[in-house]
Amino acid sequence: MSDRDPFAEIERALDTFGEQFGVDLDSVPTDIVDAGDAYVVRADLPGFDSEDLDVQLADERELTISATHSESAQSSDGRYVQRERRRQSVSRTVRLPAAVDEEETSASYDDGVLTVRLPKVSADGDEDGTDIPVN
């Protein structure tokens, strides 16, 4: 029999896979949609509660989504022979293509999907640009 930990072997294999193929397995999968007047960011965060989530916007363009969840197996009778605890923490920062209005942002969390709506900053009516006459 081998004294090797099969779970440690699996963890090493996943780390190697991530390094070779540029896949961050601890990252939060996100979609960024340009909805015309706003950017909509959807992030998959299954297994978290809304209280576990932290969403922050910096410099009108950098959205950071973090989630941390802790749980423990509880036993009320006898002494612990084994006690397992799980802590999961993920984070993702995305840079938006243009500045957004920090005051008008909103977020909702439903069935493991975080949706953040970030209205674009208007250019005070100059959305089509400025005409430059050619002589």
Side-chain angles (χ1 to χ4, degrees), residues 60 90 109:
E60 298 180 333
V90 295
Y109 184 66

Side-chain angles (χ1 to χ4, degrees):
M1 281 181 114
S2 175
D3 289 339
R4 291 187 301 176
D5 179 5
F7 296 108
E9 295 289 326
I10 291 171
E11 195 70 33
R12 273 195 294 277
L14 290 174
D15 289 344
T16 301
F17 173 80
E19 289 170 7
Q20 289 180 347
F21 295 100
V23 176
D24 186 0
L25 298 174
D26 290 332
S27 184
V28 177
T30 58
D31 294 334
I32 303 173
V33 178
D34 186 341
D37 63 337
Y39 295 107
V40 177
V41 177
R42 290 186 188 94
D44 290 342
L45 295 162
F48 292 97
D49 293 325
S50 60
E51 299 85 32
D52 299 333
L53 307 180
D54 181 34
V55 181
Q56 297 198 2
L57 181 66
D59 300 325
E60 298 180 333
R61 291 185 69 176
E62 275 193 7
L63 181 69
T64 300
I65 300 167
S66 303
T68 303
H69 180 70
S70 297
E71 64 183 45
S72 62
Q74 299 291 326
S75 174
S76 59
D77 47 336
R79 293 184 348 200
Y80 290 105
V81 175
Q82 179 176 336
R83 184 173 184 183
E84 296 182 359
R85 300 175 186 201
R86 187 180 131 207
R87 178 173 171 83
Q88 182 180 10
S89 180
V90 295
S91 179
R92 175 79 184 264
T93 299
V94 294
R95 185 148 177 87
L96 301 168
V100 296
D101 186 351
E102 293 183 22
E103 299 296 320
E104 297 297 319
T105 60
S106 62
S108 63
Y109 184 66
D110 189 36
D111 289 333
V113 177
L114 173 69
T115 302
V116 183
R117 184 170 177 77
L118 304 134
K120 295 177 185 178
V121 173
S122 71
D124 296 325
D126 291 337
E127 294 174 344
D128 294 330
T130 303
D131 285 334
I132 301 173
V134 178
N135 295 329

